[in-house]
Amino acid sequence: MRKEIKIIGSGFSSLAAACYLAQDGHSVTIFEKNTTVGGRARQYQRDGFTFDMGPTWYWMPDVFERFFADFGKTPQDYYKLTQLSPGYRVYFGKNDYVDIDSKLEDIKATFETIEPGSAAMLQEFIDEAKSNYDIAIKDLVYRPGESPLELVTPQTVKKLGQFFSNISRDVRKKFKNNKLIQILEFPVLFLGAKPSDTPSFYSFMNYADFGLGTWHPEGGMFSVISAMETLARSLGVTIHTNAAIEKIGVENGTASWMLVNGTKVKGDIIMSGADYHHTETLLDKAYRGYSEQYWEKRTFAPSSLLFYVGFDTTIKNVEHHNLFFDTDFDAHAIAIYDNPKWPKDPLFYVRFPSKSDGHSAPPNMEAGTFLIPLAPGIKDTPELRDEYFEKVIHRVEQLTGQELKSHILFKESYCVNDFIKDYNSYKGNAYGLANTLLQTAFLRPKLKSAKVKNLYFTGQLTVPGPGVPPALISGKLTAGLISKQLNKATKVTV
């Protein structure tokens, strides 16, 4: 039976869910508070420069392929995809860097030059990571987190110990060189927690890195959003932008309407891909599934200070993706997770997409995105933003051996206050809830409200977790639960 389904937000998870629900024959409408679709994956354009405002790493290409295949499509039907080589560069000091190549054999050779004997250790580590990837990404993450039994399979039983060890401990058992340790700990930062708080099983992120590689969709990650929007519209999805949700109305215990820009909009099913905590504040207090105390005790992934910078020249000695790990990794992690404050000497990430994609900057110029991970909820002022831009631009100049400040045409910043204003993000977090042991699978906020019928959630604060591929999966999972409920109701009425 065709139902009216209303979706809040237009990020990856919302667009994915909309596609699946429309394919099932339902009338699907998306409401997005901002002027364009994409949620945190919006695009910023200025003076011929183009920036992805949010996600910039295209990992796990198989997840994207699986999504589009569900609709008889491929990613290449919508955007050109190129594997980056090297995938990224890691700076440890002036003229001291490691390039992570596109092939594992080349990466092993690089490791061996840094720490003799490490090539064999890396192969062993990645073999285990691939085994975990095959279990997690091809199976477990496509389960909706309704029961702990979802995690119990013959394969996971064999790996039970990995849920009680951690990435940091495992890496240090095999590698002694600090550069290699930091490179291997880096991928799990996408999961939003310290390597020492991330279960060993999540080493599958290392296989996503070294085994599957780093890719780039021409035009940036917004090309993926545009592809999903095109697919959604082709399936009949209606999308409204500049449509802020002010309240979710509950009648007889059932979500039945939303207040959109002051207008009451009815729906048979309401699903939110917006910030989970914020969505619940749209409900009367009695209908909220999680208390303020619950959210306060969660471990959130970091927020970020971002800068979008236009340069009037090309930048030397950098790649498309660059990590600057020339300061104390552990001290920065403590400033994010243990003692929230602005880090004294932050690690940071810089992206120059114009190294691979002529669409991102005018000829002989460069578009640069700078990102500093920060604790969510910390003080955010223009003065602090300027101070930290000076820190990172100075270090890039020093480490890459060039003067850059005089070549800046413009810079725009984005930080905690903006995440709150634009996305209603809890404490201004950028990536959702961290994937720690006690925030994994069925221990995360549920896809389906326990207190309100016909109210569902999707996105990085629920199952399966933070990141773009998990967001695609989250949309599929929520759509599946909705279809299951509606099919069950149809059978009962028949």
Side-chain angles (χ1 to χ4, degrees), residues 131-287:
S131 173
N132 291 348
Y133 190 92
D134 289 342
I135 294 168
I137 304 302
K138 296 181 180 179
D139 182 17
L140 291 185
V141 293
Y142 285 91
R143 302 183 182 196
E146 293 185 300
S147 164
L149 295 178
E150 291 176 7
L151 298 179
V152 181
T153 70
Q155 292 79 16
T156 56
V157 168
K158 294 176 184 177
K159 294 177 178 284
L160 187 62
Q162 291 194 30
F163 288 93
F164 299 98
S165 184
N166 62 68
I167 292 290
S168 182
R169 187 180 304 152
D170 289 357
V171 168
R172 283 166 170 75
K173 284 180 182 177
K174 294 182 179 296
F175 305 92
K176 304 304 177 189
N177 183 276
N178 195 52
K179 293 179 184 177
L180 302 187
I181 289 171
Q182 290 190 50
I183 289 169
L184 288 168
E185 288 184 337
F186 154 67
V188 301
L189 298 180
F190 283 100
L191 301 172
K194 291 191 298 185
S196 58
D197 290 334
T198 303
S200 301
F201 184 71
Y202 284 105
S203 69
F204 62 72
M205 291 297 294
N206 293 100
Y207 177 71
D209 180 1
F210 289 0
L212 297 176
T214 302
W215 298 74
H216 174 69
E218 187 175 74
M221 291 297 287
F222 191 73
S223 293
V224 187
I225 288 291
S226 296
M228 295 177 72
E229 179 187 7
T230 299
L231 175 61
R233 291 188 187 277
S234 75
L235 293 165
V237 176
T238 300
I239 301 175
H240 297 294
T241 54
N242 297 305
I245 311 301
E246 295 153 357
K247 185 175 179 61
I248 298 174
V250 179
E251 297 177 358
N252 299 318
T254 301
S256 56
W257 55 269
M258 302 187 305
L259 200 62
V260 184
N261 291 340
T263 300
K264 196 173 185 179
V265 176
K266 293 185 177 182
D268 298 309
I269 299 283
I270 293 175
M271 190 201 84
S272 178
D275 179 273
Y276 202 122
H277 168 268
H278 169 73
T279 302
E280 289 218 310
T281 67
L282 300 175
L283 295 160
D284 290 338
K285 198 167 185 179
Y287 297 119

Side-chain angles (χ1 to χ4, degrees), residues 70 104 175 322 471:
D70 285 340
L104 179 59
F175 305 92
N322 307 270

